[in-house]
Amino acid sequence: MMDTENNTISSNDGHFVKTEGTAIISHLGMNYASTYIGAWEEELFMRSYRKPLMYFRFVDDVWGLWTHGLDALLDFNTKGNQINPRIKLELRYSTEQLEFLDTVTSLRGGSLHTDLYTKPTDTHLYLYMESSHPETTKKAIPYGLGVRVKRICSEEGNYRKHREAVKDHLVNRGYEGAFVEKN
């Protein structure tokens, strides 16, 4: 395992020695975390007789499909919580829909459908149009947000609704509606 004792970090407030774990602002912190969680997952899957049908992880967020019933899911979660006392899983499950990062996935008619998910605390503080950033950056923002919505939404009606919402958010940040539509 990695030696994560006596990490030193500097911040505006001074110089610090972290005697256990890795500081969140450490350049290697994400690498350590990803490596450790990968080993942790291997341990979880070795301990578990039943496994998810699908399993995806982004850093420390996981989304999966479970087909073995609620009791087996709760047992899987318990096994995960027994590996390291400092890692505690938050289990959220549903037979109808579940949020993961910026996506909500729902099961309807035996098919998976995806839609854009925005946390209630999201303030949509995109770059102001009046900022001193290059024009190419300002053009890339509506384009990138539009592509993101198009990729996430599996239904055309939801795509159109979210595209309009993105346009409204950008207009609130000083972008002209026509500029957003063009880019």
Side-chain angles (χ1 to χ4, degrees):
M1 204 64 197
M2 290 168 271
D3 178 14
T4 57
E5 294 179 6
N6 297 319
N7 289 269
T8 59
I9 56 169
S10 296
S11 181
N12 293 339
D13 298 332
H15 187 74
F16 304 92
V17 175
K18 186 160 173 54
T19 58
E20 185 178 29
T22 301
I24 194 71
I25 61 171
S26 164
H27 294 289
L28 295 175
M30 182 63 75
N31 295 334
Y32 286 152
S34 293
T35 301
Y36 181 81
I37 291 298
W40 178 91
E41 284 174 338
E42 287 180 18
E43 179 68 23
L44 174 59
F45 290 134
M46 282 190 328
R47 290 183 183 197
S48 302
Y49 172 70
R50 300 199 187 268
K51 297 170 180 48
L53 178 64
M54 297 179 82
Y55 180 93
F56 301 98
R57 176 175 56 88
F58 181 76
V59 186
D60 64 349
D61 291 313
V62 174
W63 181 95
L65 291 179
W66 191 263
T67 58
H68 309 294
L70 181 56
D71 289 340
L73 176 61
L74 295 174
D75 182 59
F76 184 78
N77 188 66
T78 298
K79 282 180 173 53
N81 280 324
Q82 292 170 341
I83 296 171
N84 182 328
R86 294 191 175 177
I87 295 178
K88 290 298 171 204
L89 305 178
E90 174 192 342
L91 177 62
R92 292 184 305 138
Y93 61 91
S94 173
T95 58
E96 296 172 14
Q97 72 176 33
L98 194 60
E99 300 87 21
F100 177 67
L101 304 175
D102 61 352
T103 304
V104 61
T105 305
S106 59
L107 181 61
R108 293 192 312 265
S111 297
L112 290 176
H113 299 267
T114 56
D115 196 5
L116 181 69
Y117 174 70
T118 304
K119 291 182 179 180
T121 56
D122 189 346
T123 55
H124 307 286
L125 295 180
Y126 304 117
L127 182 71
Y128 276 115
M129 185 63 175
E130 298 83 27
S131 75
S132 298
H133 288 75
E135 189 73 12
T136 54
T137 300
K138 296 174 190 176
K139 287 180 179 179
I141 291 171
Y143 176 79
L145 292 170
V147 168
R148 173 178 161 255
V149 170
K150 184 68 173 170
R151 287 180 178 163
I152 290 173
C153 296
S154 61
E155 297 173 349
E156 185 66 25
N158 289 337
Y159 163 68
R160 279 192 245 111
K161 174 184 74 172
H162 292 300
R163 192 178 95 178
E164 281 303 311
V166 165
K167 180 179 174 185
D168 291 344
H169 296 311
L170 290 172
V171 166
N172 288 337
R173 302 297 286 178
Y175 292 77
E176 293 292 327
F179 178 85
V180 173
E181 288 291 333
K182 187 173 97 174
N183 296 295

